[in-house]
Amino acid sequence: MSDIGSGDEGVSSQKYGQGMDAGGNNFDSGQQPQEQELATKMLQIQSKRFYLDVKQNRRGRFIKVAEIGADGRRSQIFLAMSTAAEFRDHLSAFSDFYSSLGPPNPDNVPDDGKLKSEMMLKDNRRYYLDLKENSRGRFLRVSQTITRGGPRSQVALPAQGMIEFRDALTDLLDDFGTDDGGFKGELPEGRHLRVDNKNFYFDIGQNNRGIYMKVSEVVPSLQVKSNFRTAITVPEKCWTRFRDILADYCDKMNRAHSDSADHHQGGSGAGGAGAAGGAAGPRAGSAQPARDAEPFASGSRI
């Protein structure tokens, strides 16, 4: 469920005062939404409003948490249903820890302001939970990041509202469960193919977007000690088409090799006769076939 909120969110996002989804796509153009909103809850905690929306798209169910500040600024994070359940449990632990703290003491605050921290991991997303304290009070900052780069998003929940937020989240999980959806079976094992000095690895994986095949090519490098690796990722939904295209090329190349073999066999006698007749080579001005012609653009790598 990585990129769980990247699909269309339809008109429901207009309650936040914007007609856009998390990726900035405008839905005022009349295009059909690809996401369905199943339920929503709104919490008013101090000067902030928080919306908890249960949504569903082709990748499964998830919860979008949107924070609207007093100045109208909006920030949001996305949680898989299983991650939301884990977050709910962390909220209980953070609330207990917060209750055990005494009054704020500016002389006893860590340099980074963090009083307690936890981390959650779901597929290619990391969530950092930090209970912090500053001059305005104590709050829980929830940051969402995507591994291997990507934007960071975060919401800040006043510490006094953690129990109310947890209870609202619990209600939604009780109604819709903690199942993210998607494939639950066992994926095939990876395969390896060696051709000359190249190694090809076929690995089947699954993320928020579904099942995919990663084909990696590993070639020994003469310039550096490590090997040179490239990879492509093929979604499961196009495996059949990918196979058909590859099979079509195999058939065409088999016919081409067969025709080439027949041509050489049929031309060997004529070539011998030409040599016997003293023909030293092609006549001036006759067309010659291009040699080593590449069907790919220059700079393409095989």
Side-chain angles (χ1 to χ4, degrees):
M1 220 192 70
S2 223
D3 296 334
I4 44 184
S6 61
D8 299 352
E9 294 177 32
V11 296
S12 63
S13 53
Q14 306 222 346
K15 66 187 173 190
Y16 308 118
Q18 299 183 17
M20 295 185 175
D21 71 348
N25 297 319
N26 195 319
F27 297 108
D28 295 334
S29 59
Q31 67 184 86
Q32 293 298 318
Q34 296 178 355
E35 288 182 356
Q36 178 185 4
E37 184 174 293
L38 304 179
T40 186
K41 283 183 176 290
M42 193 277 285
L43 304 175
Q44 182 76 42
I45 302 177
Q46 295 183 354
S47 61
K48 296 182 176 182
R49 283 179 294 134
F50 291 90
Y51 290 89
L52 285 72
D53 300 330
V54 180
K55 290 178 170 288
Q56 179 173 296
N57 60 19
R58 64 184 183 278
R59 302 167 192 163
R61 290 179 179 175
F62 60 94
I63 294 180
K64 182 178 73 173
V65 178
E67 171 197 342
I68 312 296
D71 57 358
R73 292 185 181 181
R74 172 190 176 191
S75 55
Q76 61 190 17
I77 61 173
F78 298 90
L79 303 169
M81 301 302 287
S82 59
T83 307
E86 183 180 355
F87 180 43
R88 184 258 324 268
D89 296 339
H90 280 303
L91 281 172
S92 295
F94 273 96
S95 179
D96 292 342
F97 177 82
Y98 170 70
S99 299
S100 68
L101 297 175
N105 183 359
D107 299 329
N108 196 29
V109 178
D111 294 337
D112 59 2
K114 294 181 181 180
L115 304 175
K116 176 179 172 64
S117 297
E118 295 289 348
M119 192 268 285
M120 303 185 301
L121 179 63
K122 175 65 175 178
D123 295 329
N124 67 333
R125 295 185 179 223
R126 293 178 184 269
Y127 300 85
Y128 298 93
L129 315 179
D130 299 306
L131 182 63
K132 304 189 69 174
E133 180 178 328
N134 59 21
S135 59
R136 292 176 291 178
R138 292 166 176 165
F139 60 95
L140 179 65
R141 185 182 67 185
V142 184
S143 303
Q144 170 190 304
T145 63
I146 300 177
T147 56
R148 299 181 300 278
R152 172 189 288 262
S153 56
Q154 62 184 31
V155 296
L157 174 65
Q160 298 94 322
M162 288 191 293
I163 290 295
E164 183 181 359
F165 193 98
R166 181 203 64 186
D167 292 344
L169 194 58
T170 298
D171 289 342
L172 294 174
L173 292 172
D174 287 344
D175 290 340
F176 295 96
T178 60
D179 185 6
D180 301 330
F183 182 74
K184 297 295 188 298
E186 183 176 352
L187 297 176
E189 294 184 358
R191 302 284 295 273
H192 167 243
L193 171 66
R194 181 175 179 85
V195 181
D196 298 331
N197 69 329
K198 295 184 177 184
N199 289 283
F200 296 92
Y201 296 91
F202 301 81
D203 298 298
I204 309 301
Q206 181 178 9
N207 58 20
N208 320 33
R209 298 186 175 185
I211 299 173
Y212 61 89
M213 176 191 299
K214 183 172 73 172
V215 183
S216 304
E217 173 192 0
V218 180
V219 182
S221 175
L222 300 178
Q223 287 76 21
V224 294
K225 294 182 180 180
S226 60
N227 294 332
F228 178 69
R229 177 187 293 266
T230 58
I232 62 170
T233 301
V234 185
E236 182 194 16
K237 62 184 179 182
C238 67
W239 285 1
T240 301
R241 179 61 178 154
F242 194 90
R243 177 202 62 192
D244 293 343
I245 293 175
L246 187 59
D248 183 57
Y249 278 122
C250 289
D251 291 340
K252 289 179 178 178
M253 289 308 302
N254 285 336
R255 290 195 297 269
H257 286 305
S258 178
D259 293 344
S260 177
D262 293 342
H263 175 75
H264 285 301
Q265 290 176 358
S268 59
R283 291 175 296 174
S286 63
Q288 297 296 311
R291 296 184 178 180
D292 300 328
E294 291 288 346
F296 301 97
S298 60
S300 63
R301 178 162 49 83
I302 301 178

